[in-house]
PDB file of all heavy atoms in Angstrom:
ATOM      1  N   LEU V  99     -91.731  74.867 -91.965  1.00 88.00           N
ATOM      2  CA  LEU V  99     -90.645  75.104 -91.020  1.00 88.00           C
ATOM      3  C   LEU V  99     -90.100  76.514 -91.206  1.00 88.00           C
ATOM      4  O   LEU V  99     -89.842  77.230 -90.237  1.00 88.00           O
ATOM      5  CB  LEU V  99     -89.531  74.077 -91.205  1.00 88.00           C
ATOM      6  CG  LEU V  99     -89.866  72.644 -90.836  1.00 88.00           C
ATOM      7  CD1 LEU V  99     -88.704  71.722 -91.221  1.00 88.00           C
ATOM      8  CD2 LEU V  99     -90.174  72.524 -89.355  1.00 88.00           C
ATOM      9  N   LEU V 100     -89.920  76.918 -92.460  1.00 90.00           N
ATOM     10  CA  LEU V 100     -89.422  78.258 -92.750  1.00 90.00           C
ATOM     11  C   LEU V 100     -90.383  79.315 -92.209  1.00 90.00           C
ATOM     12  O   LEU V 100     -89.970  80.263 -91.554  1.00 90.00           O
ATOM     13  CB  LEU V 100     -89.231  78.429 -94.263  1.00 90.00           C
ATOM     14  CG  LEU V 100     -88.658  79.754 -94.715  1.00 90.00           C
ATOM     15  CD1 LEU V 100     -87.769  79.544 -95.923  1.00 90.00           C
ATOM     16  CD2 LEU V 100     -89.733  80.759 -95.048  1.00 90.00           C
ATOM     17  N   VAL V 101     -91.682  79.157 -92.462  1.00 90.00           N
ATOM     18  CA  VAL V 101     -92.668  80.130 -91.986  1.00 90.00           C
ATOM     19  C   VAL V 101     -92.703  80.144 -90.460  1.00 90.00           C
ATOM     20  O   VAL V 101     -92.771  81.207 -89.838  1.00 90.00           O
ATOM     21  CB  VAL V 101     -94.070  79.846 -92.579  1.00 90.00           C
ATOM     22  CG1 VAL V 101     -95.120  80.751 -91.981  1.00 90.00           C
ATOM     23  CG2 VAL V 101     -94.040  80.006 -94.097  1.00 90.00           C
ATOM     24  N   SER V 102     -92.624  78.969 -89.845  1.00 91.00           N
ATOM     25  CA  SER V 102     -92.608  78.896 -88.374  1.00 91.00           C
ATOM     26  C   SER V 102     -91.385  79.606 -87.811  1.00 91.00           C
ATOM     27  O   SER V 102     -91.479  80.336 -86.819  1.00 91.00           O
ATOM     28  CB  SER V 102     -92.613  77.435 -87.913  1.00 91.00           C
ATOM     29  OG  SER V 102     -93.813  76.808 -88.284  1.00 91.00           O
ATOM     30  N   ALA V 103     -90.231  79.400 -88.433  1.00 92.00           N
ATOM     31  CA  ALA V 103     -89.011  80.084 -87.993  1.00 92.00           C
ATOM     32  C   ALA V 103     -89.162  81.589 -88.176  1.00 92.00           C
ATOM     33  O   ALA V 103     -88.745  82.378 -87.327  1.00 92.00           O
ATOM     34  CB  ALA V 103     -87.803  79.565 -88.760  1.00 92.00           C
ATOM     35  N   PHE V 104     -89.759  81.988 -89.282  1.00 93.00           N
ATOM     36  CA  PHE V 104     -89.935  83.405 -89.580  1.00 93.00           C
ATOM     37  C   PHE V 104     -90.827  84.079 -88.535  1.00 93.00           C
ATOM     38  O   PHE V 104     -90.527  85.178 -88.066  1.00 93.00           O
ATOM     39  CB  PHE V 104     -90.533  83.569 -90.982  1.00 93.00           C
ATOM     40  CG  PHE V 104     -90.624  84.984 -91.444  1.00 93.00           C
ATOM     41  CD1 PHE V 104     -89.508  85.630 -91.939  1.00 93.00           C
ATOM     42  CD2 PHE V 104     -91.809  85.680 -91.377  1.00 93.00           C
ATOM     43  CE1 PHE V 104     -89.569  86.946 -92.364  1.00 93.00           C
ATOM     44  CE2 PHE V 104     -91.892  86.998 -91.798  1.00 93.00           C
ATOM     45  CZ  PHE V 104     -90.770  87.629 -92.291  1.00 93.00           C
ATOM     46  N   LEU V 105     -91.910  83.420 -88.173  1.00 90.00           N
ATOM     47  CA  LEU V 105     -92.841  83.994 -87.201  1.00 90.00           C
ATOM     48  C   LEU V 105     -92.410  83.753 -85.760  1.00 90.00           C
ATOM     49  O   LEU V 105     -92.983  84.325 -84.842  1.00 90.00           O
ATOM     50  CB  LEU V 105     -94.249  83.435 -87.420  1.00 90.00           C
ATOM     51  CG  LEU V 105     -94.920  83.864 -88.718  1.00 90.00           C
ATOM     52  CD1 LEU V 105     -96.289  83.220 -88.842  1.00 90.00           C
ATOM     53  CD2 LEU V 105     -95.035  85.379 -88.807  1.00 90.00           C
ATOM     54  N   GLY V 106     -91.408  82.912 -85.590  1.00 88.00           N
ATOM     55  CA  GLY V 106     -90.863  82.683 -84.257  1.00 88.00           C
ATOM     56  C   GLY V 106     -91.518  81.567 -83.475  1.00 88.00           C
ATOM     57  O   GLY V 106     -91.117  81.281 -82.356  1.00 88.00           O
ATOM     58  N   SER V 107     -92.530  80.923 -84.075  1.00 84.00           N
ATOM     59  CA  SER V 107     -93.194  79.854 -83.337  1.00 84.00           C
ATOM     60  C   SER V 107     -94.126  79.063 -84.233  1.00 84.00           C
ATOM     61  O   SER V 107     -94.860  79.632 -85.052  1.00 84.00           O
ATOM     62  CB  SER V 107     -93.962  80.460 -82.164  1.00 84.00           C
ATOM     63  OG  SER V 107     -95.273  80.048 -82.068  1.00 84.00           O
ATOM     64  N   GLY V 108     -94.092  77.749 -84.068  1.00 85.00           N
ATOM     65  CA  GLY V 108     -95.023  76.896 -84.782  1.00 85.00           C
ATOM     66  C   GLY V 108     -96.444  77.132 -84.319  1.00 85.00           C
ATOM     67  O   GLY V 108     -97.398  76.987 -85.083  1.00 85.00           O
ATOM     68  N   GLN V 109     -96.603  77.510 -83.061  1.00 89.00           N
ATOM     69  CA  GLN V 109     -97.933  77.777 -82.509  1.00 89.00           C
ATOM     70  C   GLN V 109     -98.571  78.974 -83.214  1.00 89.00           C
ATOM     71  O   GLN V 109     -99.759  78.973 -83.515  1.00 89.00           O
ATOM     72  CB  GLN V 109     -97.847  78.028 -80.997  1.00 89.00           C
ATOM     73  CG  GLN V 109     -99.187  78.183 -80.329  1.00 89.00           C
ATOM     74  CD  GLN V 109    -100.063  76.933 -80.459  1.00 89.00           C
ATOM     75  OE1 GLN V 109     -99.573  75.821 -80.517  1.00 89.00           O
ATOM     76  NE2 GLN V 109    -101.353  77.142 -80.533  1.00 89.00           N
ATOM     77  N   LYS V 110     -97.789  79.998 -83.502  1.00 87.00           N
ATOM     78  CA  LYS V 110     -98.301  81.184 -84.199  1.00 87.00           C
ATOM     79  C   LYS V 110     -98.786  80.804 -85.599  1.00 87.00           C
ATOM     80  O   LYS V 110     -99.849  81.246 -86.038  1.00 87.00           O
ATOM     81  CB  LYS V 110     -97.206  82.259 -84.277  1.00 87.00           C
ATOM     82  CG  LYS V 110     -97.640  83.518 -84.970  1.00 87.00           C
ATOM     83  CD  LYS V 110     -98.677  84.266 -84.176  1.00 87.00           C
ATOM     84  CE  LYS V 110     -99.005  85.586 -84.823  1.00 87.00           C
ATOM     85  NZ  LYS V 110    -100.158  86.215 -84.245  1.00 87.00           N
ATOM     86  N   VAL V 111     -98.022  79.960 -86.287  1.00 86.00           N
ATOM     87  CA  VAL V 111     -98.412  79.523 -87.627  1.00 86.00           C
ATOM     88  C   VAL V 111     -99.712  78.723 -87.552  1.00 86.00           C
ATOM     89  O   VAL V 111    -100.612  78.909 -88.369  1.00 86.00           O
ATOM     90  CB  VAL V 111     -97.293  78.686 -88.286  1.00 86.00           C
ATOM     91  CG1 VAL V 111     -97.762  78.067 -89.585  1.00 86.00           C
ATOM     92  CG2 VAL V 111     -96.073  79.552 -88.522  1.00 86.00           C
ATOM     93  N   LYS V 112     -99.812  77.868 -86.565  1.00 87.00           N
ATOM     94  CA  LYS V 112    -101.028  77.074 -86.390  1.00 87.00           C
ATOM     95  C   LYS V 112    -102.242  77.988 -86.211  1.00 87.00           C
ATOM     96  O   LYS V 112    -103.295  77.758 -86.813  1.00 87.00           O
ATOM     97  CB  LYS V 112    -100.878  76.136 -85.191  1.00 87.00           C
ATOM     98  CG  LYS V 112    -102.037  75.211 -84.996  1.00 87.00           C
ATOM     99  CD  LYS V 112    -101.803  74.274 -83.818  1.00 87.00           C
ATOM    100  CE  LYS V 112    -103.023  73.412 -83.599  1.00 87.00           C
ATOM    101  NZ  LYS V 112    -102.954  72.617 -82.409  1.00 87.00           N
ATOM    102  N   GLN V 113    -102.097  79.028 -85.400  1.00 90.00           N
ATOM    103  CA  GLN V 113    -103.199  79.975 -85.184  1.00 90.00           C
ATOM    104  C   GLN V 113    -103.586  80.684 -86.478  1.00 90.00           C
ATOM    105  O   GLN V 113    -104.767  80.822 -86.804  1.00 90.00           O
ATOM    106  CB  GLN V 113    -102.809  81.014 -84.134  1.00 90.00           C
ATOM    107  CG  GLN V 113    -102.688  80.469 -82.748  1.00 90.00           C
ATOM    108  CD  GLN V 113    -102.052  81.482 -81.787  1.00 90.00           C
ATOM    109  OE1 GLN V 113    -101.464  82.475 -82.196  1.00 90.00           O
ATOM    110  NE2 GLN V 113    -102.182  81.213 -80.495  1.00 90.00           N
ATOM    111  N   VAL V 114    -102.571  81.130 -87.222  1.00 87.00           N
ATOM    112  CA  VAL V 114    -102.820  81.832 -88.488  1.00 87.00           C
ATOM    113  C   VAL V 114    -103.534  80.904 -89.468  1.00 87.00           C
ATOM    114  O   VAL V 114    -104.505  81.294 -90.121  1.00 87.00           O
ATOM    115  CB  VAL V 114    -101.498  82.363 -89.093  1.00 87.00           C
ATOM    116  CG1 VAL V 114    -101.689  82.823 -90.527  1.00 87.00           C
ATOM    117  CG2 VAL V 114    -100.936  83.483 -88.231  1.00 87.00           C
ATOM    118  N   TYR V 115    -103.072  79.671 -89.562  1.00 85.00           N
ATOM    119  CA  TYR V 115    -103.664  78.725 -90.510  1.00 85.00           C
ATOM    120  C   TYR V 115    -105.092  78.346 -90.116  1.00 85.00           C
ATOM    121  O   TYR V 115    -105.961  78.221 -90.973  1.00 85.00           O
ATOM    122  CB  TYR V 115    -102.782  77.484 -90.629  1.00 85.00           C
ATOM    123  CG  TYR V 115    -101.723  77.638 -91.685  1.00 85.00           C
ATOM    124  CD1 TYR V 115    -100.858  78.729 -91.693  1.00 85.00           C
ATOM    125  CD2 TYR V 115    -101.585  76.709 -92.706  1.00 85.00           C
ATOM    126  CE1 TYR V 115     -99.892  78.875 -92.661  1.00 85.00           C
ATOM    127  CE2 TYR V 115    -100.618  76.844 -93.689  1.00 85.00           C
ATOM    128  CZ  TYR V 115     -99.779  77.944 -93.664  1.00 85.00           C
ATOM    129  OH  TYR V 115     -98.830  78.084 -94.633  1.00 85.00           O
TER     130      TYR V 115
END
Side-chain angles (χ1 to χ4, degrees):
L99 292 174
L100 183 145
V101 174
S102 295
F104 186 79
L105 292 178
S107 130
Q109 185 61 31
K110 180 68 175 169
V111 172
K112 184 178 177 187
Q113 291 170 345
V114 168
Y115 272 53

